Amino acid sequence: QVQLVESGGGLVQAGGSLRLSCAASGNVFSISNMGWYRQAPGKQRVLVATITSRGSTNYADSVKGRFTISRNNANNTVSLQMNSLKSEDTAVYYCKLENILYHTWGQGTQVTVSS
């Protein structure tokens, strides 16, 4: 079973930057699509950004131009560079791995943006 471990969350002031990373175990990373999602208190989990196994990316409108998703198949990691952070970016951020056989989530990492 693939396991995902997120890191890099924390507290940052509005306008600042954070970089989240997600490390995957196993040997299916390179053939899997990866994504970052977030869930704010009292709200549903929503898509932030995705990257396919071939490197095509997709972003939520709310983060376009501020966030960048990238992947490194050599070390089974996907990252989310977050710039110009806003208070509304505050949430728990989750990494997701998905392929034709299954999908799995990480445990989440808290991002708090103070205004």
Side-chain angles (χ1 to χ4, degrees), residues 2-3 8 13 15 24 27 31 39 46 57 59-60 62 82 85 89 98 102-103 107-108 110 112 114:
V2 174
Q3 290 189 327
Q13 288 188 332
N27 58 3
I31 62 170
Q39 187 167 16
V46 296
T57 59
Y59 297 92
S62 59
M82 306 186 294
L85 283 161
D89 295 317
E98 186 169 12
Y102 59 83
H103 70 271
Q107 83 287 354
Q110 176 70 47
T112 302
S114 63

Side-chain angles (χ1 to χ4, degrees), residues 4-69:
L4 303 175
V5 179
E6 299 104 333
S7 61
L11 174 64
V12 63
Q13 288 188 332
S17 298
L18 279 176
R19 185 177 181 86
L20 305 182
S21 293
C22 172
S25 64
N27 58 3
V28 298
F29 181 85
S30 64
I31 62 170
S32 300
N33 299 326
M34 300 298 299
W36 286 98
Y37 294 73
R38 68 187 181 188
Q39 187 167 16
K43 296 188 177 181
Q44 291 186 330
R45 191 174 300 185
V46 296
L47 180 149
V48 175
T50 60
I51 185 166
T52 68
S53 59
R54 296 186 177 187
S56 296
T57 59
N58 181 56
Y59 297 92
D61 287 344
S62 59
V63 306
K64 282 181 181 178
R66 300 189 297 123
F67 290 12
T68 302
I69 188 171

Side-chain angles (χ1 to χ4, degrees), residues 67-83:
F67 290 12
T68 302
I69 188 171
S70 60
R71 64 188 296 158
N72 186 327
N73 289 342
N75 60 16
N76 285 9
T77 59
V78 60
S79 298
L80 185 70
Q81 178 66 43
M82 306 186 294
N83 299 328

